[in-house]
């Protein structure tokens, strides 16, 4: 149990375009999901907390108009990187909080390359 | 600022030995503690969670928590080369569901 999927697993896009990443909890309902970014050889950076049916909470320094988060159902959260630039190239990972506890289960991640 | 500190390593142990990974945290109100394993290029995988003082064992893994010392550790018995990865300590406080992650300790198990 506690499986989280992400789609796509990797994506290459041109500068200025937008990219949507989906995060799904497959066998449990997640009222809270999280989005992280990780650059090579660096630690996880929390970008935002996504709550089902309400607005996401962004960490300091993360542009909410650039990184659009939607958590429309208990099993799906999406992250849209708008007007992507090469500096947005990174490994984006979502996680979902298991109900009743504090455990977060991570998706496999999406590797974004902006050319 | 809520800090979670780990030695970055690398920690090198021979195959079959016990690997000991340590983590300290600054927020005394922290309630939940987790260890994740992350292989290079992959996302983190939950190994253990621990909520109360003492030891918790799961297979070859033992998590230890000492809230008075604000210290949590992970022991890996009979270490295998496949255990070579970065181990992330994560701490949750009472303010919400977000986890504060340490920077991770790189473990290398040599055959």
């Amino acid at each position: 149990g506690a499986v989280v999927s992400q789609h796509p697993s990797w994506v290459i896009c041109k500068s200025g375009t937008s990219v949507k990443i989906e995060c799904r909890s497959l066998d449990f309902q997640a009222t809270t999901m999280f989005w992280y970014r990780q650059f090579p050889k660096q630690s996880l950076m929390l970008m935002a907390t996504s709550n089902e049916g309400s607005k996401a909470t962004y960490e300091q320094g993360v542009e909410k108009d650039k990184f659009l988060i939607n958590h429309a159902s208990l099993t799906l959260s999406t992250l849209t990187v708008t007007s992507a630039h090469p500096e947005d190239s990174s490994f984006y990972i979502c996680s979902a909080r298991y109900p009743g506890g504090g455990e977060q289960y991570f998706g496999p991640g999406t590797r974004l390359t902006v050319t | 600022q809520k800090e979670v500190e780990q030695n970055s390593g690398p920690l090198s142990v021979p195959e079959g030995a016990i690997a000991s990974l340590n983590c300290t945290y600054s927020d005394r109100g922290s309630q939940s503690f987790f260890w994740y394993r992350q292989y290079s290029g992959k996302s983190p995988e939950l190994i253990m969670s621990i909520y109360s003082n003492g030891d918790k064992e799961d297979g070859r893994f033992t998590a230890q928590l000492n809230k008075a010392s604000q210290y949590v550790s992970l022991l890996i018995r009979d270490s295998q080369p496949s255990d070579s990865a970065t181990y992330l300590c994560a701490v949750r406080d009472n303010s919400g569901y977000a986890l504060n992650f340490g920077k991770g300790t790189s473990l290398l198990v040599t055959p």
Side-chain angles (χ1 to χ4, degrees):
Chain A
V3 180
V4 178
S5 70
Q6 257 183 268
H7 178 80
S9 55
W10 60 271
V11 58
I12 301 173
C13 70
K14 291 187 182 297
S15 188
T17 61
S18 296
V19 173
K20 180 186 280 190
I21 302 170
E22 292 186 350
C23 177
R24 293 182 185 272
S25 55
L26 298 185
D27 53 0
F28 65 100
Q29 293 184 328
T31 55
T32 309
M33 292 185 174
F34 303 87
W35 288 95
Y36 295 85
R37 181 166 53 179
Q38 188 174 38
F39 293 105
K41 305 287 187 189
Q42 295 191 22
S43 58
L44 287 170
M45 280 179 39
L46 178 65
M47 299 176 66
T49 301
S50 169
N51 294 296
E52 187 265 339
S54 64
K55 291 184 179 181
T57 303
Y58 291 82
E59 294 300 301
Q60 195 171 5
V62 177
E63 301 173 56
K64 63 181 181 186
D65 295 329
K66 181 171 181 61
F67 298 99
L68 302 179
I69 291 172
N70 185 281
H71 192 160
S73 80
L74 288 172
T75 58
L76 173 64
S77 176
T78 60
L79 168 69
T80 301
V81 183
T82 62
S83 187
H85 291 282
E87 57 265 32
D88 297 323
S89 298
S90 188
F91 190 40
Y92 291 86
I93 316 172
C94 73
S95 70
R97 183 180 69 87
Y98 198 80
E103 298 92 345
Q104 289 184 26
Y105 292 90
F106 284 84
T110 297
R111 200 162 299 281
L112 170 64
T113 301
V114 185
T115 61
Chain B
Q1 184 79 6
K2 297 170 184 175
E3 303 276 344
V4 179
E5 299 286 344
Q6 294 181 256
N7 189 317
S8 62
L11 172 66
S12 182
V13 300
E15 183 175 358
I18 296 175
S20 177
L21 303 160
N22 304 315
C23 172
T24 59
Y25 58 95
S26 63
D27 185 2
R28 195 168 280 279
S30 299
Q31 294 294 317
S32 309
F33 307 86
F34 308 91
W35 283 99
Y36 287 84
R37 175 174 63 195
Q38 186 175 25
Y39 292 111
S40 181
K42 303 293 186 182
S43 67
E45 172 192 8
L46 179 65
I47 299 175
M48 296 277 290
S49 59
I50 187 166
Y51 303 98
S52 54
N53 282 328
D55 294 1
K56 179 181 178 182
E57 187 174 317
D58 184 359
R60 294 187 297 114
F61 300 99
T62 298
Q64 299 174 317
L65 174 62
N66 184 326
K67 289 186 179 180
S69 301
Q70 296 174 242
Y71 176 92
V72 58
S73 65
L74 179 70
L75 301 178
I76 307 175
R77 288 182 299 282
D78 188 24
S79 295
Q80 302 296 310
S82 59
D83 295 325
S84 299
T86 296
Y87 288 80
L88 302 170
C89 173
V91 176
R92 178 192 159 207
D93 58 33
N94 281 335
S95 65
Y97 293 117
L99 297 179
N100 296 310
F101 282 87
K103 294 186 186 302
T105 297
S106 175
L107 173 67
L108 178 63
V109 181
T110 54

